[in-house]
Amino acid sequence: MDAVAETPEGTASRRGVADKVLRFDKLPVVDCEGSTPWEIGFSHGTQLQERVAETLSFYYDMYEEHGFGRDEVRTWGEALAGTVRRFSPDIADEVEGVADGAGRARWELFALQGRTELLGIALHRAGRPAPGECTSICCPASAVVAQNWDWDPCMSALIVVLRLPRCGRRPQMLTLTEAGIVGKVGLNEHGVGTCINILFGREPATSPDAVPVHVLARAALSCGSLEEAEAVLRGAPRHCHTHLLLADRGGRYRMVEFCGQELAIMGKEHDGAAPPPARAHTNHYLHPRFAGVDADSDLCHTRERHQRAQEIIRAQGGGRAGEGHALA
């Protein structure tokens, strides 16, 4: 599964990038080697040193555009270092390894793990929506999960696939992510997969004492079963607006919605039954418990996208045919 990327000329910094079109033929697949979490992170940071620097530059520019200064980012990063370590010492060690390998301050990489939360604060202050988002789909009949990720095009050149080895009890895994971030969309050797959709409430729900959503996604990927992943998310200190889609090779799934410190889960009711129709999730809440939380938000036409995805699912027989291309 070797792959190479054609790295575009120039920088991914948001300053002056408007006239540049970033293209790549293949996503780079990076083998992160090591026998400890720190060594694995160091391998990540060393191999992707330039991309990590570009990713940090991209987000620093975006924060500043919305009135969120570098000193404030540092304060968050230093606080998140303690939060992540209390939640998962292994993930904290890996983040520190990424920073050391990339030659960056450790607080910068902890702040990068929390970029969703920091952007939520910055965009809320500026009264602006996020520039683009995503749709995820789960097809239980074929045990397939998938999503698109419509983010700022300047980030296109910085997306990578990390191949992470077994380490202690942690399974081998693949994760598509941004250079420097230890997890996002992925799949592990036990067949546990994750997708992620940002959600919005009337206020940015976050706290430096809460585990960032990218760390939650990575923690789920480190689990040996769907039940273990669900338990990890239930027990985590959390304060965010996010949806994590979890699924396993048996076709079972969990749609986990976080609303501040609350959590609601859909999908468990189908365990042991005939495969249910495929399900889609976009960027608004679906669980009745959170009805009205984001009533004023239509981020990137989230409700229209959800309706269209469900129409396609129905047109394809509910995705029950077991064909991986049924929802294409």
Side-chain angles (χ1 to χ4, degrees), residues 86-152:
R86 287 188 294 273
F87 172 65
S88 172
D90 283 354
I91 294 178
D93 285 348
E94 187 172 331
V95 173
E96 291 179 355
V98 175
D100 296 347
R104 307 295 298 215
R106 290 179 170 182
W107 66 262
E108 292 184 282
L109 271 297
F110 282 104
L112 185 59
Q113 310 312 307
R115 66 86 161 156
T116 297
E117 290 76 12
L118 299 187
L119 276 177
I121 297 172
L123 291 169
H124 186 266
R125 287 180 181 175
R128 298 180 186 177
E133 278 310 325
C134 45
T135 301
S136 59
I137 290 181
C138 174
C139 184
S142 54
V144 168
V145 291
Q147 79 167 83
N148 71 324
W149 179 26
D150 296 331
W151 187 214
D152 191 303

Side-chain angles (χ1 to χ4, degrees), residues 149-270:
W149 179 26
D150 296 331
W151 187 214
D152 191 303
C154 297
M155 181 54 66
S156 298
L158 302 178
I159 300 170
V160 299
V161 175
L162 303 180
R163 182 155 45 200
L164 302 167
R166 297 185 187 95
C167 183
R169 294 183 61 252
R170 190 181 74 185
Q172 185 180 25
M173 67 187 79
L174 286 171
T175 180
L176 181 146
T177 186
E178 301 159 71
I181 296 180
V182 296
K184 189 187 289 286
V185 180
L187 179 73
N188 72 25
E189 65 177 293
H190 300 302
V192 176
T194 61
C195 296
I196 186 170
N197 304 97
I198 192 170
L199 306 177
F200 285 89
R202 292 187 176 91
E203 298 291 333
T206 190
S207 162
D209 296 324
V211 179
V213 297
H214 285 89
V215 174
L216 292 175
R218 172 53 187 277
L221 279 175
S222 298
C223 294
S225 68
L226 193 64
E227 289 80 8
E228 182 184 356
E230 179 182 341
V232 166
L233 296 182
R234 285 186 180 277
R238 55 189 183 267
H239 200 235
C240 58
H241 291 300
T242 298
H243 164 250
L244 285 180
L245 172 60
L246 310 178
D248 67 12
R249 57 167 51 122
R252 298 181 304 154
Y253 73 94
R254 302 287 186 269
M255 287 182 162
V256 185
E257 291 186 342
F258 300 91
C259 184
Q261 295 177 313
E262 295 186 59
L263 173 152
I265 298 179
M266 297 168 284
K268 198 168 186 175
E269 64 275 13
H270 298 298

Side-chain angles (χ1 to χ4, degrees), residues 273-316:
R279 293 286 304 275
H281 204 297
T282 53
N283 303 111
H284 62 280
Y285 286 100
L286 299 180
H287 198 282
R289 183 188 304 175
F290 302 138
V293 168
D294 54 1
D296 299 330
S297 171
D298 191 28
L299 175 66
C300 298
H301 311 291
T302 176
R303 289 170 174 81
E304 293 177 17
R305 283 186 287 118
H306 185 261
Q307 180 179 347
R308 178 58 180 154
Q310 293 299 140
E311 288 173 353
I312 294 172
I313 288 169
R314 287 192 293 272
Q316 297 291 339

